[in-house]
Structure formats: C-alpha cells, structure tokens
Amino acid sequence: MKRRVRLLREENRTVEGRAVHICYKNIRNLYLRVSPAGMVEVSAPQWMTAREIEEFIGRRRAWIDERLRFIFASAAARGMRRYAAGETILLWGARYPLEIRPITRGKAYAAYENGQIYIYALPDADAEERAAAIRSLYRTELAAAIERETPACERIVGKHAAAWRIRAMKTRWGSCNVRTAHITLNLALARYDRRALVYVILHELTHLWVYGHGAAFRACMDRYLPDWRDMRRALNAWAREDGGLA
C-alpha cells in the first residue's frame, strides 16, 4: 500500500540571496522546483538538515537560473507581467528589483524595504494575487503622499478639498467634483516621479476655482506651477513608455 505523503512543517530561508520555501514531508528524496512566480520551493525529508538542503540548492544553481530565464521569457512573449522574482517594479519614478518571499498563511502583500520591493505570498499564489499586492502597496504609498503634499498645495491654490479618493482610472490622472469638492486621483500616480503628483493635485484643486481648461484655468496654473506644461508632458511620456495611461 502506497504511503500517504504528509506535510510535517514548513520554513522560509534565504539561500545564496534567494528566498526558498522548504516543506518537510515524510518522503525519502529531495525535490526542487521553481514556481511561476520565480520562487524556489523544496520538498525535503523530515530528517534532512538545513545545511544539506542549502548544499543541494547550491549544486542546482545553474538549473534554477535557467528556469527563471525561461519563466521571464515566456511571460514577455505573451505580453504578460508575472510579478515574479527578478522583475522590476516602478515606484515614485524609480525601478526596484522584485523579490518574492513565501508565507505560510494569509493574503499576499507587498512592501518597499531597503531599496527593494518584496511580495510576501503563499507559494501557490498566482500572478493576479501578486499584482493585487502591488496595487495595495501603490494605494498605501499614494495615500501617504497625498497627505504629505496636500496642505502645501491647498495653501498655494487657496482651496480645500472636502475628500481625497484613489481609484484606478484608464483615461485621466484625476477628477474633481466641483459640487462636493471631492477629488479623485489615479492609482498609477504612485508609479511616477512625485513632482507629477504635485502637478495633478494642483490641477484638480484649480478646478475648484475654474471649471474647464480654458484661458482662466491656464492662467491660474501658470501662477501656481509655472512649469506645469513640462510636467504634464513628462507624465504622459512616462506613461506611454510604461505602457500605461496616455
């Protein structure tokens, strides 16, 4: 009768700079795989030591690198983002390397730490779950930046927004409801230089004085942010290069 394989315990380790998820099971042999997210996963006999596992991974380093190249090339050929280890993530105008860190329970989340972006996710998390973690990071970062930048912008314009909202938008960087003074900003702004966020905040606040984008609006923007046209062009160019809005 075939013995049923049981998971006995799990642990996460860093081996040669890579995140490794180790599952100890009632098995006789050691198994290694690289998940679609670029995470190294090991199934090991319960009696095997950490040193033996690390030595095994070291011997298979060339194979791991080859698997990662295949995963990235396949995703690129399909025009897809996998949000996998080794990709880069845009945050405030800079690209940061992405690393996947395994967790044993809970919802995937992302964090910026020491010049790198990490996604903490279950080993079987799919690309959409990892993408959602990055969107959540963008939302957190953008909300904090709005809170920092808004007071100075409101003093410049002389208007105060009743509420600030964040939403993924496909055709605009922001919107202003002049009746309620509610302003909504595009989640994607967290991807680009913070100066672009200041420009959009000033732009939307100006609509509390002037409806539309006519001469009066442009005159106000010239006073509030003299180089606003350059900033608008730069923001749209960044988005085109990034394959996003505009």
Side-chain angles (χ1 to χ4, degrees), residues 3 14-15 17 33 50 67 102 127 131 156 164 166 181 205 216 227 244:
R3 182 174 58 174
T14 300
V15 181
R33 70 183 290 264
R67 287 296 302 165
I156 290 170
W164 293 89
I166 297 170
L205 284 170
D227 65 346

Side-chain angles (χ1 to χ4, degrees), residues 63-114:
W63 180 85
I64 292 170
D65 290 340
E66 180 61 29
R67 287 296 302 165
L68 288 170
R69 284 193 291 270
F70 174 78
I71 290 169
F72 299 151
S74 298
R78 296 193 301 271
M80 296 171 57
R81 290 213 62 173
R82 297 296 302 167
Y83 294 92
E87 292 185 19
T88 59
I89 299 294
L90 264 176
L91 179 65
W92 299 124
R95 286 197 174 274
Y96 296 100
L98 176 63
E99 186 64 53
I100 309 297
R101 293 287 191 235
I103 56 177
T104 57
R105 62 174 62 87
K107 184 179 178 181
Y109 66 96
Y112 169 75
E113 301 169 1
N114 301 318

Side-chain angles (χ1 to χ4, degrees), residues 64-239:
I64 292 170
D65 290 340
E66 180 61 29
R67 287 296 302 165
L68 288 170
R69 284 193 291 270
F70 174 78
I71 290 169
F72 299 151
S74 298
R78 296 193 301 271
M80 296 171 57
R81 290 213 62 173
R82 297 296 302 167
Y83 294 92
E87 292 185 19
T88 59
I89 299 294
L90 264 176
L91 179 65
W92 299 124
R95 286 197 174 274
Y96 296 100
L98 176 63
E99 186 64 53
I100 309 297
R101 293 287 191 235
I103 56 177
T104 57
R105 62 174 62 87
K107 184 179 178 181
Y109 66 96
Y112 169 75
E113 301 169 1
N114 301 318
Q116 189 155 350
I117 291 178
Y118 296 90
I119 293 179
Y120 296 86
L122 295 170
D124 60 354
D126 60 22
E128 176 51 35
E129 289 175 276
R130 297 190 296 274
I134 293 298
R135 291 194 295 269
S136 181
L137 173 64
Y138 283 158
R139 185 173 295 276
T140 299
E141 288 280 334
L142 185 56
I146 292 170
E147 187 174 354
R148 285 195 305 269
E149 302 293 348
T150 294
C153 292
E154 290 181 333
R155 286 194 296 271
I156 290 170
V157 176
K159 285 288 187 178
H160 176 78
W164 293 89
R165 295 170 177 169
I166 297 170
R167 187 162 60 90
M169 295 187 280
K170 294 183 177 180
T171 60
R172 60 178 74 181
W173 293 114
S175 64
C176 177
N177 185 319
V178 295
R179 182 178 59 82
T180 63
H182 289 181
I183 291 176
T184 302
L185 298 182
N186 193 327
L187 180 65
L189 286 167
R191 299 170 65 84
Y192 308 116
D193 193 297
R194 284 182 173 85
R195 292 174 299 167
L197 172 62
V198 172
Y199 152 66
V200 176
I201 289 175
L202 289 170
H203 179 120
E204 299 307 331
L205 284 170
T206 300
H207 282 307
L208 296 177
W209 285 117
V210 183
Y211 184 81
H213 297 96
F217 175 87
R218 296 193 296 273
C220 288
M221 286 297 296
D222 287 339
R223 291 198 304 274
Y224 304 150
L225 188 68
D227 65 346
W228 67 274
R229 292 176 178 83
D230 294 335
M231 195 69 258
R232 180 182 62 185
R233 282 193 292 269
L235 175 58
N236 289 333
W238 294 332

